[in-house]
Amino acid sequence: MILIFLGPPGAGKGTQAAHIVTRYQIPQLSTGDMLRAAVAAQTPVGKQAKAVMDAGNLVSDDIVAAIVEERIEADDCATGFLLDGFPRTEAQAEMLDAMLEKKERAVDAVIELRVDESALTERLLSRIAETKARGDEVRKDDNEETFKKRLAVYRDQTAPLIPYYEKQGKLKAVDGMGAVEAVSAAIDAILVEFMPFEERENG
Ligand code: ADP
């Protein structure tokens, strides 16, 4: 099962990804996490990406696509994977379709988490407060100003993926405003058609 999570920053993709990983036993491939790891390790890609990420802009399509293409070759991706934060532009979506086609694979479903924009800034501010309360370091791009930039980038460059996948008949929208468990249940209801029959019968 190859899944994509689509939604603005703060929509709850990371939270719901954890649920999917446990329930469906497929890895979560977060390009944001992979890029942050590259930055921390000061690899050539990381050095190039750092300033771009800190400003809330997108890293180049070629770099991100290359990272994903390499990652999905790994054994743990053989039965499927969940893409979180990729594709983020129409060019990336086309690159993904092309790389999967080469391997005779395809995206099964795109889950769009729909959230009111007004709720997103509030979620960000509580995420920052929680991170600080835990004594962890706050992400450089997690401040109100850069967040606004990330939202604008989402609207301009990523939201066009909604009609892109709608046309392919793969888009499944979920109301992301409810409680975490309610959102998970809505996702499960969609994914039931991708589960083997026996698992469906046994819940
Ligand atoms: P968010 O929490 O906003 O969803 P992520 O953790 O997914 O953010 O990504 C953080 C940053 O990493 C992005 O703002 C961008 O600079 C970079 N990034 C992550 N994924 C991609 C991608 N697919 N294409 C380009 N840049 C990306």
Side-chain angles (χ1 to χ4, degrees):
M1 180 163 70
I2 299 179
L3 299 177
I4 294 175
F5 259 174
L6 204 57
K13 298 190 294 287
T15 305
Q16 295 303 329
H19 165 74
I20 290 192
V21 166
T22 315
R23 187 171 166 123
Y24 303 93
Q25 307 281 311
I26 53 172
Q28 170 198 8
L29 275 48
S30 158
T31 45
D33 287 348
M34 293 185 222
L35 288 167
R36 279 186 289 276
V39 170
Q42 300 188 339
T43 65
V45 164
K47 282 181 187 162
Q48 219 179 315
K50 187 179 187 313
V52 177
M53 291 172 72
D54 287 351
N57 286 314
L58 294 184
V59 174
S60 88
D61 293 331
D62 290 332
I63 289 182
V64 183
I67 292 177
V68 171
E69 184 155 28
E70 192 187 333
R71 178 65 185 86
I72 64 179
E73 292 286 346
D75 289 347
D76 65 336
C77 291
T79 58
F81 47 88
L82 165 66
L83 290 168
D84 164 13
F86 179 91
R88 239 182 175 88
T89 65
E90 219 168 306
Q92 290 180 16
E94 285 164 2
M95 288 161 121
L96 175 67
D97 281 345
M99 71 176 87
L100 290 176
E101 205 179 312
K102 272 195 289 181
K103 301 176 210 300
E104 297 182 354
R105 305 181 80 176
V107 171
D108 290 295
V110 179
I111 297 171
E112 184 209 348
L113 287 175
R114 288 207 179 145
V115 184
D116 298 343
E117 268 204 24
S118 58
L120 295 175
T121 309
E122 268 170 51
R123 285 188 183 185
L124 169 82
L125 295 176
S126 49
R127 178 159 100 187
I128 293 172
E130 283 163 20
T131 307
K132 280 187 179 155
R134 276 199 312 269
D136 290 340
E137 202 179 325
V138 177
R139 265 168 57 177
K140 255 235 167 92
D141 61 347
D142 266 356
N143 58 73
E144 216 171 330
E145 196 186 321
T146 311
F147 190 77
K148 278 196 192 120
K149 172 73 189 169
R150 281 155 61 200
L151 265 184
V153 168
Y154 176 81
R155 238 181 273 125
D156 293 348
Q157 306 204 46
T158 309
L161 294 181
I162 295 169
Y164 180 93
Y165 286 115
E166 223 158 26
K167 259 183 239 147
Q168 294 190 359
K170 290 177 180 168
L171 192 81
K172 319 273 177 189
V174 167
D175 177 8
M177 290 300 290
V180 171
E181 297 75 25
V183 179
S184 299
I187 292 173
D188 288 340
I190 287 167
L191 295 184
V192 86
E193 68 175 283
F194 299 100
M195 279 168 81
F197 183 69
E198 317 82 66
E199 280 180 45
R200 236 185 285 170
E201 289 290 282
N202 302 329

